[in-house]
Amino acid sequence: MAPAEHPRMSDVAERAGVSLSTVSRALRGAPGVAPAVRENVLRAAAELSYVVSRGASSLVTGRTGRIAVLVPFLQPWFFGVALAGMNTRLRAAELDMLVYQVGDVEELDGYVRSLPLRSNVDCVVAVSLDLDEGEIKQLDELGLPVVFCSQRVEGRPSVFIDNTGAARGATQHLLNLGHTRIAYIHTRDQTGFSWSSQERRRGYEQAMAEAGAEPFVVSERPGHDGGALAMGRLLSVSHPPTAVFAESDDVAMGALRVLRRSRLEIPEAISVIGFDGSDFAELLDLTTVAQPVFEMGVRAAELAADIVETGRPSTAQVELPTTLLVRQSTAAPRRSRNLTVRAAPHS
Amino acid sequence: MAPAEHPRMSDVAERAGVSLSTVSRALRGAPGVAPAVRENVLRAAAELSYVVSRGASSLVTGRTGRIAVLVPFLQPWFFGVALAGMNTRLRAAELDMLVYQVGDVEELDGYVRSLPLRSNVDCVVAVSLDLDEGEIKQLDELGLPVVFCSQRVEGRPSVFIDNTGAARGATQHLLNLGHTRIAYIHTRDQTGFSWSSQERRRGYEQAMAEAGAEPFVVSERPGHDGGALAMGRLLSVSHPPTAVFAESDDVAMGALRVLRRSRLEIPEAISVIGFDGSDFAELLDLTTVAQPVFEMGVRAAELAADIVETGRPSTAQVELPTTLLVRQSTAAPRRSRNLTVRAAPHS
DNA sequence: CTGTTAGCGCGTTCAG
DNA sequence: CTGAACGCGCTAACAG
């Protein structure tokens, strides 16, 4: 490793028979270099398989060519897709992507305090961090521009969907099918990351109110487990719902598992709708509200790239559309249906 | 942005009333600083919310404090979990994680040629890239140490599982249950990333050979779709298998979808086993071979951190254990079972 | 159009 | 134990 010292710019200059600054200009595509000379330099660089050291150049330009992406989790489908979207767009902008998992607000605080980002990246993209105003202000202490992805923040560059409207639409779908006893599964954990969840809940409540139906919200912890627990609770009340709207596909899948194990047919016994449009929803024929996650990543990266390239702050608000994907997990309720219809002889 | 210029080390020095180099030593935890002085410096730095510029320091130390992670995909469960594992361990080592998606060998080639990594990271971790020798050699041209995660490479630091052994165990499980007509679903695409797939297939074939059973391999494209297509083919032969071993949970899920839509009960009509131990396998009660993906990430990051810290190349081979998770998708075959038993009156 | 001269912010000698 | 000089590899003003 050590024997093969990397070539420096002066090596290229020597080989091409020009000066250092000419090499710099040529490699950078800066104007003011004769085409022939430029070609010479490029060839010399290629022959030495030379690459400019970003560290050195950013020391003088002040730009690092890197952006940081902050995500609350790395594992869920959503974040993989979002990162893939960003990756695509960032590559086009020749920006590298630093990924940090910030599990909770406390950790975010730690990050901001230790500031490992400052002078290390040009911009940070916060994905689904669902921060409140105070936390956003904290991020400012980094002294870096911040782009919000999957969260709408007024006055800040952000890419988002209309959670409330989409949730209202999903609820309306169930109402239109003839359901009236529609439950909403909502999650919340201690860390306090739950903005979009709140917005979706609001959309559900609006639609229910407009229809004159009684809202019925159960709150559990996030993830499959929460969905399973919530479904268990819903199946234990005296008058169970005929349809369930889960805050996310993840949560819906937990609910589906419980229904399957209870031998309750979907959608005959109960309709289920999720949110996200994950590919697992497709596998399970789950009706869901799809959001364009990949494109959200792309657009967020685009905003970041713009900010880095122009050096100007931005307040762009990018709202992306959602799509209701109706599949086999939702259908009209059976007339005067009762969940116990199969098991109860006295039906 | 511009008004809030970041403080420099000299600012800290001035505030603490010491010289530049003393600040450097103090901040770095280097020996040769009086405790009282160090504390002073630390306080001054905190008050200015100062952080050393990695760019500047790496210019002189030659270390960037960054590692690059190369993944073929960002979206699948596997990679999210692996990245999460790395993230954990890298944070402990105070290394930042640059993530690059390299979809196929061609793209990898592009990366290696444009060398955006050189002098930009200290080490690269290749996750599940399933490279052949030539491609590995190509990576060497980066002039950087490479750690392999989820691929065994002799003489190189690598973290992996025993794919062959695990696949043999899974096949043995089915054989022990009494199955003899066991199919294997194998995937392959044009890009040529398929090492572990080959290894698993070999394990399957070994177990079948030992049992004197006839191997039956169908090959399709990767992902859910491939699994679905493969299952379709398996259901269309004259004597369908009573059990299916899918190369991965992803593929198994595609197969499951086809079975569900065909109204074939699992495991009554057909047993299915996957590979990976994804949490979706759990949701679907899919028997699977679990691999410790998170830990693979952790261990790979550890190898990388070691190499960076010691500066010495490594040839560590870390083999991690797999676990067969028996769930409800596998069971003994029905005596003289026939897939058409329910539909065929002449049974 | 090209070369020369200064630093960018820090770590590392080496004297004190 | 501390400070002053030098240089890491590169870009940005200038001068030619």
Side-chain angles (χ1 to χ4, degrees), chain B residues 3-25:
Chain B
E5 284 303 327
H6 294 171
R8 313 182 266 173
M9 199 178 259
S10 57
D11 296 325
V12 179
E14 193 176 343
R15 192 171 232 273
V18 294
S19 85
L20 249 175
S21 44
T22 301
V23 174
S24 171
R25 280 186 286 254

Side-chain angles (χ1 to χ4, degrees), chain A residues 1-2 6, chain B residues 66-68 117 121-126 139-140 142-148 156-157 303-304 306-309 311-314:
Chain A
M1 227 122 289
H6 293 171
Chain B
R66 255 169 269 134
I67 71 126
L117 300 179
V121 298
D122 298 330
C123 180
V124 2
V125 177
L139 260 186
D140 287 340
L142 283 174
L144 288 170
V146 181
V147 172
F148 294 88
R156 308 294 190 110
L303 292 185
D306 274 1
I307 293 173
V308 171
E309 275 160 23
R312 271 195 299 278
S314 152

